[in-house]
Amino acid sequence: MLRVGIVGAGSMGAAHAAGWSQTPAHLVGFLTETFDPNLPLAQRHGATVFRSFDELLDAVDVVDICTPTHLHASMIVRAAEKRKHVVCEKPLALSTQEALRAVRACREAGVHLLVAHVVRYFPEYALAKSLVDEGAIGRVATLRLLRGSYRPRKPVGNWFLDESKSGGILMDLMIHDMDYARWIAGEVATVFARKITSVRPDSALDYGLVVLQHRSGAITHLAGAWAYPPPTFRTQFEISGDCGVIIHDSQATAPIESLILRPAGNAVPEVGLPSSPLAEDPYTTEIKAFYHTLVEGAPSRVTPEDGLAAVQIAEAAVRSAAEGKAIHLEPISV
Amino acid sequence: MLRVGIVGAGSMGAAHAAGWSQTPAHLVGFLTETFDPNLPLAQRHGATVFRSFDELLDAVDVVDICTPTHLHASMIVRAAEKRKHVVCEKPLALSTQEALRAVRACREAGVHLLVAHVVRYFPEYALAKSLVDEGAIGRVATLRLLRGSYRPRKPVGNWFLDESKSGGILMDLMIHDMDYARWIAGEVATVFARKITSVRPDSALDYGLVVLQHRSGAITHLAGAWAYPPPTFRTQFEISGDCGVIIHDSQATAPIESLILRPAGNAVPEVGLPSSPLAEDPYTTEIKAFYHTLVEGAPSRVTPEDGLAAVQIAEAAVRSAAEGKAIHLEPISV
Amino acid sequence: MKVKIGILSFAHLHAEAYVTALRAIPEVDLIGFADDDAQRGERFASQFELRRFPSYEALLEQKPHGVIVCSENSRHAPLVNMAAQAGVHVLCEKPLATTVRDAEAMVAQCRKAGVHLMTAFPMRFSTPLEVVKARLDSGELGDVHCFNASNQGELPKKHREWFVDKTLAGGGAIMDHTVHLVDVMRWYLGCEAAEVYAVANRIFHADEVEVETGGIVWVTFENGVFATIDCSWSRPPYWPSWGGLSFEMVTSRGAVLVDAFKQNLTVFSHTLQRPQWAFWGSDPNQAMLSDFVRAIAEDRPPRVSGEDGLRAVEVVEAAYRALELGQPVRLR
Amino acid sequence: MKVKIGILSFAHLHAEAYVTALRAIPEVDLIGFADDDAQRGERFASQFELRRFPSYEALLEQKPHGVIVCSENSRHAPLVNMAAQAGVHVLCEKPLATTVRDAEAMVAQCRKAGVHLMTAFPMRFSTPLEVVKARLDSGELGDVHCFNASNQGELPKKHREWFVDKTLAGGGAIMDHTVHLVDVMRWYLGCEAAEVYAVANRIFHADEVEVETGGIVWVTFENGVFATIDCSWSRPPYWPSWGGLSFEMVTSRGAVLVDAFKQNLTVFSHTLQRPQWAFWGSDPNQAMLSDFVRAIAEDRPPRVSGEDGLRAVEVVEAAYRALELGQPVRLR
């Protein structure tokens, strides 16, 4: 039986844990920054709490890394050294160089590296991808993607707001759609980006705009917001081809609308998350797919190179926003 | 110059006053339940404040009645006796019998009676009417109309909640769409209705459902809500014919959507009112049209018989909801 | 254990979706189908590469654990009864029957035979509707006061001619589009319909069919909750989907708007030259079939019963009576 | 006093809407039009029962108070200059010109002649946009940080062939669909564009036209506000309308989403077999023409100037330069 350990017990750690519990894998335990033998998430899953990363690695076949982004690469390299398969939250790393180090380490060790670009497992995004692949709208010309919510909060040490840890809105939030745009329209040649906090470092909210030119000629326009009133979370896309258009708007297609007076004081989640009602949570769909790759070798919808390329695009966006220039991407040889 | 006096200074009195100020008419003054020589609305319009209805009638050519509904009929009759033209807020009266008395009095006195069924002057409703008349959707088969907001509030003496004064949700709110349904699909043969407060008299909110069978064979479904959280106000309609469908949704077609954090504490208006941005307020469009009828005799979009028929439908709905039966309407001879 | 399932008749178009859905369930052994319409039978046998039995009896002789009845509405009763006599569990397409008498007999036969009779009410398995049901049960939404509901659709004739044949379908739009929402309301309220009123007309497709094509059914429940159901075949053939099912539920604390089929992409394509909705929400049919199969495997009743189907048929029959009388009809 | 108005050229399709709008203004005396395309001239003369002058000069000899220039983009300059020399106020279709040099000359000529030059930017008269401008000015919305804007449309070729002719139109989608939003942002911010970047492609209608059909223009303003404008001709011919203009404005307090053309009925008709949007919002063209006419009657400048038109042309010209360079271009 496949043994899994999760590093990190924030919202992603919890979502992945729920996913693993829907597979035949054995969720052995968790590791968190501060050791807590009574970690509620571990108790909920009847799992142990480890004291160190190495202790966890020794007890598992797969490590699922849900830590702040700046910690990803070195953990992946260490796991590869120990010949453990890796599932890693997006972004794979904060820089192309670090991501490359992680990808190479896994390749050399012969272990799987599964980057959790969960958007590919959301049914609306997956359906649009298959429609495009079927030729429903012809050749893709322009792609518009929006992902908007409020600034992530954390009870302590909000690493999301520390760009040296999360990469900020371009790297942390908008990488979702950068990966999706590349999935739809292919390799990216040029990146141009702006974000509020580059212009106004003290801003209490952030909003990024990014335009990608794909080698295919297609243009992608990305908008990412940490600017809306909680608990807003909305996504939109519009894929226009020379033979049609596909449109998604999470708000216009929400199947439940509440006009209830004084709703019970629902706590706002730390991080805005999509929530259209589905029989299976897309995080679970993703983890189930990863499980099949791990045990049966089924090809994964997300390859290590996909995770790497997304980091390269996001890193270029960060640089473009800082320098005010268009950044041209070179193909990376892994 | 046409001299106008307004009775009542609530939200409708204010809306009509704003309308008159856009016509060449002279807005002479106001009358309110309690005499207030410094009535702000009068000051805003440089108008006087009268002490009695007769005093007002003597000073004007047209009286515009914006009082609670139960007062309409006798005021209209009195105005007609004095040979004054009448503009009257909807509903024309609380009962068919009273409405008939008002219509007959005006006819006998040879004065205009203009019932303010303002929905006919809202551009979305007016456009749909002309599309139907042009045959864009063929013969009308089913008509669905929704008008939803919160319970009207008043600082003192909330007459809206006193059914003997307002007629309740069916008469006060839903008469708008009853009139519109009849405008679109013709005379009504049968009425069936239910509302929450008939079943649960103590309910803090109300919602009515009404179905009309028109003599044409068409069926109208009406929903009216005093049930949504303030400041919600939404309208919807769906007119289905044997050759097409026309759809309106005020929310889906709102040109401005605010995602502003902690909006400035806007006061909630006493009565929920539609608010899609327009160059000209539909109440002003209506009053301008009434002005043309008064000075040029141009035919009015709303006849006294229309006002009467709307009351007849609403009265039948009130009876149907009380008795649990379908009510068959007889043609009224004015 | 593999659960052996057969399909009786492909008269209802849902049979096609069920084949795909059944094949996606690992524990199912789809043994084949039978159809009394030879031409239709041949077409689907080849389209789905599915074994076709020469008769319903021949299929039942294979001792499937369960069958799905997808015949014309008025022909549900004989097939359900045949399956019950063979000791086979049944999932029957909605409406359960075209008359209360038939539906009662079916429920009684299955009870006597000790087999489950499930009515195909997939809305009980619609994720958005389940979420709202859970919120309602938690008390978060207050008490239900009324429903303003709609199950409009296109003229079903384009899929199967019999849908608009009064004898085979049992009626028109009211027969076709009332039962889903009646069942949802009974499920939400835990309470039975007490009174029914209805209006109908035949303006849509007046030259094509002889049954009612437009209508509103009123239902009042024993607890005073009232509801309207728009069952009209009012969607034109170029509507972006087949139709939909949605309702506003008004409670003591406000309202909730629910649309079971709103999770769509809008797709404009040169091929069609108009927008189409591509549904990406979770498939309620799949979940319904899984429940039927698991109920058999786990030897427990399915989440929807034959009685649920019967109760909905009672409302439909009362609606037609109310149409004749022009006044509400009391059920109980 | 009646305000005498003439129309110079019907090359731009807006001329048609302007005739109707002008006729709805009581103080206007629409004296007629001239067009150098005889066939087009005859067609519209008869369609609108409008007097056709044999030449632009002949029309201007009638001493109208104002003219509306609706020629092809690259032919605005000579007509505007001719009107200025005749001492006639001008409302000129957007974009004011296809080059900054032309636009500057037009502004200078009109100033010298002492006539008003108004650029046809109807969005300044869009009621929703005016409402948001007022809220912004009141401080209610906080400070603007950025815009995510879009002025997508169908290929304009179906209305007039010259719209996709590089010489007459001055370019493709960027020339056509950038200026409205640049002007809205300048109006909202009270601040000029400082830097421009752009990307473009030609995938939509690649076999029909030679100009760019897809593109994004980036504008950074002097106060640091940045913006994207999607100017693509990306709407297929069976879209429910010609296109639209909308933007998200992000401020220090959140965001406001504005759609200038959202007030529509959706109409499905057997005739067209697909949905169409029927606009019921207030007509910005009507309000713009009223302002032009009243400005003449009241002897005051119109609410939009020729310089406003020039500033927008500067951005477009910079966008094409940025396309060549592949990097942002500084304006000032």
Side-chain angles (χ1 to χ4, degrees):
Chain A
M1 189 185 281
L2 196 75
R3 298 165 306 157
V4 180
I6 298 180
V7 193
S11 50
M12 282 308 104
H16 285 207
W20 289 113
S21 75
Q22 298 296 309
T23 71
H26 174 43
L27 178 51
V28 178
F30 293 85
L31 176 70
T32 55
E33 196 178 359
T34 317
F35 177 71
D36 171 7
N38 302 312
L39 185 73
L41 187 60
Q43 293 183 335
R44 201 151 64 240
H45 288 278
T48 190
V49 181
F50 294 101
R51 286 177 178 273
S52 76
F53 190 45
D54 277 355
E55 194 191 333
L56 179 145
L57 287 174
D58 290 338
V60 303
D61 306 303
V62 185
V63 59
D64 182 347
I65 300 172
C66 296
T67 57
T69 310
H70 67 294
L71 304 174
H72 289 181
S74 52
M75 289 183 133
I76 295 168
V77 171
R78 179 70 184 143
E81 283 167 6
K82 293 229 174 192
R83 297 284 186 277
K84 305 299 181 180
H85 298 298
V86 178
V87 169
C88 182
E89 242 321 298
K90 45 56 53 185
L92 176 55
L94 277 185
S95 70
T96 310
Q97 204 181 340
E98 288 233 292
L100 197 50
R101 192 163 67 95
V103 170
R104 284 182 179 148
C106 290
R107 165 176 297 189
E108 281 156 23
V111 297
H112 286 288
L113 172 57
L114 298 161
V115 189
H117 280 291
V118 72
V119 166
R120 297 192 183 201
Y121 297 90
F122 272 70
E124 58 275 48
Y125 288 83
L127 176 58
K129 165 69 172 165
S130 22
L131 288 168
V132 170
D133 287 354
E134 284 163 20
I137 58 164
R139 182 177 163 203
V140 173
T142 61
L143 177 50
R144 295 181 64 82
L145 293 151
L146 178 139
R147 182 168 302 269
S149 189
Y150 49 94
R151 246 193 182 180
R153 301 144 173 213
K154 283 280 170 189
V156 286
N158 193 343
W159 63 272
F160 286 106
L161 303 188
D162 181 343
E163 301 221 347
S164 71
K165 291 180 178 167
S166 72
I169 192 169
L170 297 169
M171 179 65 82
D172 191 75
L173 180 71
M174 297 179 70
I175 198 169
H176 281 296
D177 292 319
M178 292 170 183
D179 172 64
Y180 186 70
R182 184 177 157 273
W183 199 33
I184 292 286
E187 295 301 339
V188 170
T190 308
V191 180
F192 194 84
R194 288 272 188 275
K195 69 182 172 103
I196 290 175
T197 51
S198 296
V199 184
R200 304 165 210 272
D202 297 333
S203 171
L205 46 78
D206 210 351
Y207 192 97
L209 287 168
V210 178
V211 169
L212 312 177
Q213 282 181 284
H214 297 265
R215 298 203 184 278
S216 66
I219 295 170
T220 290
H221 181 280
L222 303 159
W226 279 343
Y228 302 149
T232 309
F233 189 98
R234 53 165 66 178
T235 59
Q236 290 174 354
F237 61 73
E238 188 176 290
I239 311 175
S240 302
D242 62 356
C243 295
V245 183
I246 301 172
I247 289 177
H248 159 69
D249 182 334
S250 64
Q251 176 153 304
T253 57
I256 304 172
E257 184 187 349
S258 176
L259 287 168
I260 290 293
L261 299 150
R262 298 173 306 262
N266 288 332
V268 169
E270 292 175 359
V271 181
L273 292 174
S275 63
S276 205
L278 291 169
E280 183 173 89
D281 181 54
Y283 294 94
T284 296
T285 310
E286 172 187 60
I287 296 293
K288 279 184 174 176
F290 287 174
Y291 176 80
H292 285 293
T293 297
L294 291 164
V295 300
E296 297 155 17
S300 173
R301 201 176 285 182
V302 192
T303 65
E305 290 71 23
D306 292 332
L308 171 64
V311 171
Q312 191 196 19
I313 298 166
E315 188 184 32
V318 170
R319 229 184 93 204
S320 175
E323 301 175 7
K325 285 186 202 151
I327 307 293
H328 301 277
L329 302 188
E330 296 300 328
I332 308 171
S333 52
V334 181
Chain B
M1 189 186 279
L2 195 76
R3 297 165 305 155
V4 180
I6 298 180
V7 193
S11 51
M12 282 308 103
H16 285 207
W20 289 113
S21 75
Q22 298 296 308
T23 71
H26 174 43
L27 178 51
V28 178
F30 293 85
L31 176 71
T32 53
E33 197 178 0
T34 316
F35 177 72
D36 171 7
N38 301 313
L39 186 72
L41 186 61
Q43 293 184 333
R44 201 151 63 239
H45 288 278
T48 190
V49 180
F50 294 103
R51 286 178 178 273
S52 76
F53 190 45
D54 278 354
E55 193 189 335
L56 179 146
L57 286 176
D58 289 337
V60 303
D61 305 305
V62 185
V63 59
D64 182 347
I65 300 172
C66 297
T67 56
T69 311
H70 66 294
L71 304 173
H72 289 181
S74 52
M75 289 184 133
I76 294 168
V77 171
R78 180 69 185 144
E81 282 167 8
K82 294 229 176 193
R83 297 284 185 277
K84 305 298 183 183
H85 299 298
V86 178
V87 169
C88 181
E89 242 321 297
K90 45 58 52 185
L92 177 55
L94 277 185
S95 70
T96 310
Q97 204 181 340
E98 289 233 292
L100 197 50
R101 193 162 68 94
V103 171
R104 285 183 179 148
C106 291
R107 165 176 295 187
E108 281 155 24
V111 297
H112 285 290
L113 172 57
L114 297 161
V115 189
H117 279 292
V118 72
V119 166
R120 296 192 184 201
Y121 296 90
F122 272 72
E124 58 275 47
Y125 288 82
L127 176 58
K129 165 69 172 165
S130 24
L131 288 168
V132 169
D133 287 353
E134 285 164 20
I137 59 163
R139 183 177 162 203
V140 174
T142 62
L143 178 50
R144 296 181 63 84
L145 293 151
L146 179 140
R147 183 167 300 269
S149 188
Y150 50 95
R151 248 194 181 179
R153 301 145 173 212
K154 283 281 170 191
V156 287
N158 193 343
W159 63 273
F160 285 106
L161 303 188
D162 180 344
E163 300 222 345
S164 70
K165 292 181 178 166
S166 72
I169 191 169
L170 298 169
M171 178 65 79
D172 190 76
L173 180 72
M174 296 178 70
I175 198 170
H176 281 297
D177 292 319
M178 292 170 184
D179 172 64
Y180 186 71
R182 185 178 155 272
W183 198 34
I184 293 285
E187 297 300 340
V188 171
T190 307
V191 180
F192 193 84
R194 289 271 189 275
K195 68 182 173 102
I196 290 175
T197 51
S198 296
V199 184
R200 302 163 212 272
D202 298 332
S203 171
L205 47 77
D206 211 351
Y207 192 96
L209 288 169
V210 178
V211 169
L212 312 177
Q213 282 181 285
H214 297 265
R215 297 201 185 278
S216 65
I219 296 170
T220 290
H221 181 280
L222 304 159
W226 279 344
Y228 302 149
T232 309
F233 189 99
R234 52 165 66 178
T235 59
Q236 290 174 355
F237 61 73
E238 189 176 290
I239 311 176
S240 302
D242 61 356
C243 294
V245 184
I246 301 172
I247 289 177
H248 159 69
D249 182 334
S250 64
Q251 176 152 304
T253 58
I256 303 172
E257 184 187 348
S258 175
L259 286 168
I260 290 292
L261 298 151
R262 298 173 306 262
N266 288 332
V268 170
E270 291 176 0
V271 180
L273 291 174
S275 64
S276 205
L278 291 169
E280 182 173 272
D281 182 53
Y283 293 93
T284 295
T285 310
E286 172 187 59
I287 295 293
K288 280 185 174 177
F290 286 173
Y291 175 81
H292 285 293
T293 296
L294 290 164
V295 300
E296 297 155 19
S300 173
R301 201 175 286 182
V302 192
T303 66
E305 290 71 24
D306 291 333
L308 172 63
V311 171
Q312 191 196 20
I313 298 167
E315 188 185 33
V318 170
R319 230 183 92 204
S320 175
E323 300 176 6
K325 284 186 204 151
I327 307 293
H328 301 277
L329 301 189
E330 296 301 328
I332 308 173
S333 51
V334 182
Chain C
M1 161 200 156
K2 280 278 183 182
V3 179
K4 286 161 65 182
I5 302 285
I7 296 176
L8 304 187
S9 173
F10 263 68
H12 199 294
L13 71 137
H14 284 169
E16 303 165 48
Y18 294 161
V19 170
T20 312
L22 287 166
R23 284 179 167 162
I25 304 174
E27 48 279 52
V28 166
D29 173 13
L30 179 57
I31 63 164
F33 77 108
D35 199 319
D36 49 24
D37 180 325
Q39 215 182 337
R40 189 168 62 204
E42 267 168 46
R43 179 152 63 92
F44 288 112
S46 114
Q47 181 180 329
F48 291 107
E49 298 181 5
L50 190 60
R51 180 172 173 193
R52 183 179 164 224
F53 290 90
S55 67
Y56 299 122
E57 289 81 357
L59 187 147
L60 290 169
E61 274 164 21
Q62 297 291 310
K63 300 274 170 215
H65 296 96
V67 289
I68 306 179
V69 172
C70 293
S71 58
E72 299 85 351
N73 296 346
S74 66
R75 294 175 179 164
H76 289 169
L79 293 186
V80 168
N81 294 342
M82 195 188 295
Q85 276 157 19
V88 174
H89 301 297
V90 186
L91 168 59
C92 180
E93 195 40 72
K94 69 91 213 168
L96 186 61
T98 54
T99 65
V100 172
R101 188 190 298 190
D102 271 0
E104 281 174 341
M106 290 154 79
V107 168
Q109 286 264 13
C110 288
R111 186 175 299 137
K112 205 174 118 196
V115 299
H116 301 317
L117 172 58
M118 182 182 197
T119 311
F121 282 143
M123 289 302 99
R124 295 243 189 172
F125 302 88
S126 154
T127 306
L129 268 62
E130 287 180 309
V131 166
V132 172
K133 167 68 169 158
R135 285 193 200 156
L136 191 57
D137 289 349
S138 78
E140 184 194 329
L141 305 178
D143 300 321
V144 179
H145 287 349
C146 66
F147 292 94
N148 171 3
S150 176
N151 187 189
Q152 291 162 277
E154 61 188 354
L155 185 72
K157 192 184 163 190
K158 86 169 190 208
H159 300 291
R160 298 285 198 280
E161 194 67 37
W162 69 263
F163 272 117
V164 298
D165 177 316
K166 193 164 166 26
T167 314
L168 292 172
I174 291 179
M175 180 60 74
D176 192 29
H177 276 176
T178 303
V179 293
H180 284 300
L181 282 161
V182 167
D183 184 63
V184 168
M185 293 171 195
R186 290 182 59 250
W187 174 40
Y188 274 28
L189 300 175
C191 177
E192 297 301 335
E195 193 190 275
V196 178
Y197 175 70
V199 299
N201 65 14
R202 194 172 59 86
I203 295 176
F204 303 116
H205 311 284
D207 49 349
E208 288 181 79
V209 305
E210 290 180 356
V211 289
E212 78 282 357
T213 53
I216 306 277
V217 175
W218 286 81
V219 186
T220 305
F221 290 85
E222 287 174 327
N223 61 1
V225 167
F226 57 94
T228 51
I229 298 171
D230 187 333
C231 57
S232 306
W233 289 333
S234 45
R235 298 313 190 196
Y238 40 86
W239 192 256
S241 74
W242 60 268
L245 183 144
S246 62
F247 55 89
E248 175 167 10
M249 179 173 74
V250 185
T251 74
S252 52
R253 304 194 51 214
V256 181
L257 313 181
V258 188
D259 187 329
F261 297 101
K262 212 173 187 187
Q263 291 160 300
N264 293 299
L265 302 178
T266 301
V267 183
F268 292 79
S269 67
H270 276 31
T271 322
L272 206 61
Q273 303 266 319
R274 60 178 172 85
Q276 257 192 315
W277 289 329
F279 186 66
W280 52 261
S282 304
D283 179 9
N285 278 333
Q286 184 74 59
M288 177 179 75
L289 291 173
S290 289
D291 186 68
F292 178 61
V293 169
R294 279 192 206 142
I296 292 171
E298 298 165 11
D299 197 20
R300 57 147 175 97
R303 266 177 54 199
V304 194
S305 68
E307 202 159 64
D308 292 323
L310 162 63
R311 293 288 164 251
V313 171
E314 285 174 353
V315 170
V316 172
E317 201 172 274
Y320 283 110
R321 216 156 59 234
L323 272 190
E324 280 169 30
L325 296 175
Q327 287 293 352
V329 167
R330 290 208 66 80
L331 275 179
R332 47 176 62 80
Chain D
M1 160 199 156
K2 280 278 184 182
V3 178
K4 286 162 63 182
I5 302 285
I7 296 176
L8 302 186
S9 171
F10 262 69
H12 200 292
L13 71 139
H14 283 170
E16 303 166 49
Y18 294 162
V19 171
T20 312
L22 287 167
R23 285 179 166 162
I25 303 174
E27 48 278 53
V28 166
D29 173 14
L30 180 56
I31 63 164
F33 77 107
D35 199 319
D36 49 23
D37 180 325
Q39 214 184 337
R40 189 169 60 204
E42 268 169 47
R43 178 152 64 92
F44 287 113
S46 114
Q47 181 179 330
F48 290 106
E49 297 181 5
L50 189 61
R51 178 171 174 194
R52 182 177 166 224
F53 291 90
S55 68
Y56 298 123
E57 290 79 358
L59 187 147
L60 290 168
E61 274 164 22
Q62 297 292 309
K63 300 274 171 218
H65 296 97
V67 289
I68 306 180
V69 173
C70 294
S71 58
E72 299 84 352
N73 297 345
S74 66
R75 295 176 178 163
H76 289 169
L79 293 186
V80 168
N81 294 342
M82 196 187 295
Q85 277 157 20
V88 174
H89 300 298
V90 187
L91 168 59
C92 180
E93 194 40 70
K94 68 89 210 166
L96 185 62
T98 54
T99 65
V100 171
R101 185 189 298 189
D102 272 359
E104 280 173 343
M106 291 154 78
V107 168
Q109 287 264 13
C110 290
R111 185 175 299 137
K112 204 175 119 196
V115 300
H116 300 318
L117 172 58
M118 181 183 197
T119 312
F121 282 144
M123 289 302 100
R124 294 242 190 174
F125 301 89
S126 154
T127 306
L129 268 62
E130 287 180 309
V131 166
V132 173
K133 166 69 169 159
R135 285 193 199 156
L136 191 57
D137 289 349
S138 79
E140 184 194 330
L141 304 179
D143 300 321
V144 179
H145 288 347
C146 66
F147 292 94
N148 172 3
S150 177
N151 187 187
Q152 291 164 279
E154 60 188 353
L155 185 72
K157 193 183 162 188
K158 85 171 189 205
H159 300 291
R160 297 284 200 279
E161 192 68 35
W162 69 263
F163 273 116
V164 298
D165 177 316
K166 193 165 166 29
T167 314
L168 292 171
I174 290 179
M175 181 59 74
D176 193 30
H177 276 176
T178 302
V179 293
H180 284 300
L181 281 161
V182 167
D183 183 63
V184 168
M185 292 171 195
R186 289 182 59 253
W187 174 40
Y188 275 27
L189 299 175
C191 177
E192 298 302 335
E195 192 190 274
V196 177
Y197 175 69
V199 299
N201 64 15
R202 193 171 60 85
I203 296 177
F204 303 117
H205 311 284
D207 49 350
E208 288 181 79
V209 305
E210 290 180 357
V211 289
E212 78 281 358
T213 52
I216 306 278
V217 175
W218 286 81
V219 186
T220 304
F221 290 85
E222 287 173 326
N223 61 1
V225 167
F226 57 93
T228 51
I229 299 172
D230 188 333
C231 58
S232 307
W233 290 333
S234 45
R235 298 311 190 197
Y238 41 87
W239 193 256
S241 74
W242 60 269
L245 183 145
S246 62
F247 55 87
E248 174 166 10
M249 179 172 74
V250 185
T251 75
S252 52
R253 303 194 50 215
V256 181
L257 314 181
V258 188
D259 188 329
F261 297 101
K262 212 173 188 186
Q263 291 160 300
N264 293 299
L265 302 178
T266 302
V267 183
F268 292 80
S269 67
H270 275 32
T271 321
L272 206 62
Q273 303 264 319
R274 58 177 173 86
Q276 256 192 316
W277 289 329
F279 186 66
W280 52 261
S282 305
D283 179 10
N285 278 333
Q286 183 74 59
M288 177 180 75
L289 290 173
S290 290
D291 186 69
F292 179 60
V293 170
R294 279 193 205 139
I296 293 172
E298 298 165 11
D299 195 22
R300 57 150 175 94
R303 266 178 54 199
V304 193
S305 68
E307 201 159 65
D308 291 325
L310 162 63
R311 294 288 165 251
V313 172
E314 286 174 352
V315 170
V316 171
E317 202 171 275
Y320 282 110
R321 216 154 62 235
L323 272 191
E324 280 169 30
L325 297 175
Q327 288 293 351
V329 167
R330 289 208 67 81
L331 275 179
R332 45 178 62 80

